[in-house]
Amino acid sequence: MVKYIESIRVGFRQKTYAMPVAALALNFAWESIHAAHDLGTELSVQAIVNLVWALADGVIVYTYFRFGRRELPAFVSRPLFIGWSLIVFAAGF
């Protein structure tokens, strides 16, 4: 949880995303898939933990889409950034 809280804090404070997008996409996919599966089959402590982590990752994903375009060269337009990002997150799933 410390990593998530610090990533969110750094993201909003420095107006950036605090982890590599490939790692973020895989992390978000893993935790949301497992949270949905566990909550759908049997409610357990791990299911709740996965849900909390997936929600925290969702906030980090927000910082990525909100501030991530600024980290790239000027020729990368907003639509190109969003399209490429959606492909990365889809590949993560």
Side-chain angles (χ1 to χ4, degrees), residues 1-8 27 31 53 56-57 60:
M1 273 315 291
V2 172
K3 175 200 103 99
Y4 291 102
I5 293 167
E6 186 63 13
S7 292
I8 291 167
N27 209 31
E31 288 159 0
W53 287 344
D57 271 333
I60 300 169

Side-chain angles (χ1 to χ4, degrees), residues 38-89:
D38 292 348
L39 291 171
T41 57
E42 60 181 89
L43 188 59
S44 65
V45 173
Q46 187 61 52
I48 302 300
V49 170
N50 286 340
L51 177 62
V52 170
W53 287 344
L55 292 173
D57 271 333
V59 176
I60 300 169
V61 169
Y62 170 78
T63 64
Y64 169 76
F65 278 101
R66 176 74 173 93
F67 305 119
R69 165 64 194 85
R70 297 176 190 167
E71 304 288 332
L72 299 172
F75 72 85
V76 179
S77 65
R78 185 89 177 141
L80 181 61
F81 170 73
I82 290 172
W84 178 82
S85 298
L86 292 175
I87 290 170
V88 169
F89 280 93

